[in-house]
Structure formats: C-alpha cells, structure tokens
Amino acid sequence: MNLKELRIGFVGVGRMGANMARRLKDCGYQVAVVQDVASDLAKSLADELGCEAVGGPAEVTAKADLILTVVTDDEAMRDVFSSDGLLKDAEGRIFLNCATVSPSVHEEVAAACASARAKALEACMASSITQAREGTLYLMIGGEKAVFDQVEPLLKDLSSSLRYVGVAGEAAKVKALVNMVMNINTAGLAEGLGLGAALGLDLEMLKEVFSQTGANSRVLETDGNDMIIRDHDCYFSAAHAAKDSGIANALANEAGVPVPLSVSTEAQYRKLIELGRGGLDKSAVAELTFPGRSED
C-alpha cells in the first residue's frame, strides 16, 4: 500500500493536530479533510492546506481513508467514535488515535472499530507542539502489529522515535506513566526553585547546581527558566497535566498501588484550574510555590 495515495483526515486540529497535519502535507501526503468542534480552527487550517473542513466526524470518515484523531479526553474520544460519528460506514478505514485518554477507552475504541470492520491503532505522543511540526515526535504504538507494519512509514514521517509497545491499551498505559513521572518532576522542580527563592538564593546558580547533581531532570531544561521568569505560554497545559495525572492515579487505584506523590501532583494542577489558570503551561505550577505569586 502506498500511503501517500490515501486520503488523510484529521479529527481535532488544535495545536498538536494542526501541526501534525502540516507535517504530513509537507511530506507529500494527501491531507484531504479536517474537522474540529472549534469550526473556525478547522476552516483556517483547511484554507492553509488546501483541503476541506467538514462539520462532523462522519463526514471525515466519508472523505478519508486514514484518519488521525487528536481529541481532548475520554468523553470526546467516545463521542467522535459513536455509531453515527467516525464509525458510520467505516469499513476499511484506518484510525490512528493520538490523544492521551484512558487505556480502557483505547481498548473500547479498538473493539468498536473491529466491529465496524475498520482498523485502529493508538499512537501515544510523548512530545509537544514543536516536535509535532518538525516530525520529531516520540510515538508509542498499541494495537495489532500487522496494522502498525502497514502504516509504519507514515508514523516514521511524524516521529524521530517510534516504539511498538503491544496490544490495544498497552501504549496508553506507558504514556500515562510517562506523564505521571513528568508531572511529578515538574511539581518537584517548582517546589525546589520556589523554596530557593524564599531562602534568597540565586536561582540561576541553583538551577546550574541542580543540572550537575541528582536534582537534574528533563523538566529542569524545559521548564526551569520559565518558572523563574513566569513565562507560561502553553505547550502542555496545566489542565492536561491534571487530566493525565488523574489517568495514572486511576490505574494505580485499580492496581492497588499507592502513588502519594502523583496524587499530590494532580491536586496541585487541579488547584491551578480552580484558580482559573488551567490554560497556562504546566510550568505554571510554580505560581503555587514561589513566594507571593499565588496571591497575584
């Protein structure tokens, strides 16, 4: 199968979905149709890419052979995969589901697609907006290996690191743990830098010492400066951090494993949402720990 001969559709064209569509267009794929609950986003992207914006998921299925979904949460995922949505006349379609949702929802969707004689993979992303545009995503894939093999060239064009994890739901479990640990690290860094500020320490010095000791982490590189200078332009929102920590915490509860750090981290991000700051980047958790900021 020549994937570049297939009509490609997108459901969900926020910052991640839109940049993935741009990337595939640049790579020579036929991006044919886009849809989003925010119809203005879909129309703007369609105008940019020279494709069609449609009003609902069923129209995407009608006009595309391979469809990528990048939706917000479990409810949105179930909604777009309704019998009168993406699964309407879906026989022969291939769905690549990129949203961070509960593993059980990925399993439900895979089963529903099979019943509709369609194919589905979860393509869980451990990267952000810039990587989506550049085709350097870290992708973890769950579903049937034969389907993965079929679409691997397209997945390689979206990613710099690509890992097949296992059957439906398995990649989503790994992604939940990735984000659980990332969010804990982010909240921990915010506490360390916030306490350093309260103690009157030079934060640039402190950040450098962190980078050369056991306090080092990837989030120190990505979020440390932003926490200090209060630059919280959104790459990965506090609201998404709360949702993703919640997914991991639900899995831990089902497994009977205590995860007190993750529970506390979720609570911090939910506090940001309560303060009306859920749309800020996850680095905004520092607003709760640096002296004087939470009152701003």
Side-chain angles (χ1 to χ4, degrees):
M1 175 188 293
N2 184 350
L3 296 174
K4 291 187 178 179
E5 293 179 354
L6 299 182
R7 300 168 299 166
I8 307 295
F10 275 82
V11 173
V13 288
R15 285 168 294 191
M16 291 297 289
N19 278 326
M20 293 166 73
R22 292 181 181 110
R23 169 65 181 175
L24 290 183
K25 177 76 171 181
D26 289 349
C27 290
Y29 292 90
Q30 298 181 45
V31 179
V33 58
V34 296
Q35 187 270 332
D36 196 285
V37 291
S39 58
D40 57 331
L41 290 181
K43 179 64 166 60
S44 176
L45 183 65
D47 289 344
E48 176 187 340
L49 299 183
C51 66
E52 184 177 0
V54 296
E59 295 175 80
V60 179
T61 298
K63 297 174 183 288
D65 306 300
L66 188 153
I67 297 137
L68 294 91
T69 66
V70 195
V71 298
T72 53
D73 54 26
D74 289 1
E75 182 180 359
M77 188 76 159
R78 288 188 173 111
D79 185 54
V80 298
F81 274 99
S82 65
S83 58
D84 59 351
L86 286 175
L87 293 181
K88 183 178 181 181
D89 300 324
E91 183 174 353
R93 302 301 191 270
I94 302 172
F95 295 98
L96 303 181
N97 301 314
C98 304
T100 301
V101 299
S102 300
S104 60
V105 173
H106 276 296
E107 292 168 4
E108 289 173 24
V109 166
C113 287
S115 295
R117 306 186 69 142
K119 302 173 182 177
L121 288 178
E122 62 208 55
C124 300
M125 304 179 291
S127 310
S128 192
I129 300 163
T130 302
Q131 290 74 38
R133 184 65 184 92
E134 296 174 348
T136 57
L137 294 169
Y138 191 109
L139 291 179
M140 296 161 284
I141 311 301
E144 292 185 15
K145 181 63 162 55
V147 183
F148 168 71
D149 292 339
Q150 187 177 13
V151 300
E152 185 176 6
L154 180 146
L155 294 170
K156 284 184 173 179
D157 282 333
L158 288 171
S159 65
S160 58
S161 297
L162 179 64
R163 179 181 289 269
Y164 175 75
V165 176
V167 299
E170 293 299 293
K173 292 174 184 175
V174 174
K175 174 63 189 298
L177 298 184
V178 167
N179 283 13
M180 179 186 83
V181 173
M182 176 183 71
N183 293 339
I184 290 171
N185 285 343
T186 306
L189 177 62
E191 292 189 2
L193 291 176
L195 180 56
L199 295 174
L201 296 175
D202 180 326
L203 296 186
E204 287 301 319
M205 174 275 296
L206 184 61
K207 190 160 62 72
E208 182 180 348
V209 171
F210 281 177
S211 73
Q212 297 173 7
T213 62
N216 195 20
S217 69
R218 179 68 180 274
V219 296
L220 175 63
E221 176 186 344
T222 60
D223 293 1
N225 284 337
D226 292 343
M227 290 180 177
I228 292 169
I229 67 174
R230 305 183 77 175
D231 180 0
H232 305 307
D233 288 345
C234 188
Y235 287 86
F236 182 78
S237 74
H240 280 131
K243 177 202 69 172
D244 294 355
S245 289
I247 290 172
N249 293 341
L251 290 173
N253 188 55
E254 292 170 11
V257 175
V259 286
L261 294 179
S262 186
V263 170
S264 295
T265 297
E266 181 186 355
Q268 286 288 84
Y269 282 110
R270 296 215 175 274
K271 185 173 181 180
L272 278 177
I273 295 171
E274 292 169 7
L275 293 172
R277 300 179 181 182
L280 297 178
D281 190 79
K282 67 181 175 65
S283 62
V285 71
E287 299 300 296
L288 302 178
T289 60
F290 273 66
R293 290 190 184 180
S294 61
E295 290 80 28
D296 288 357

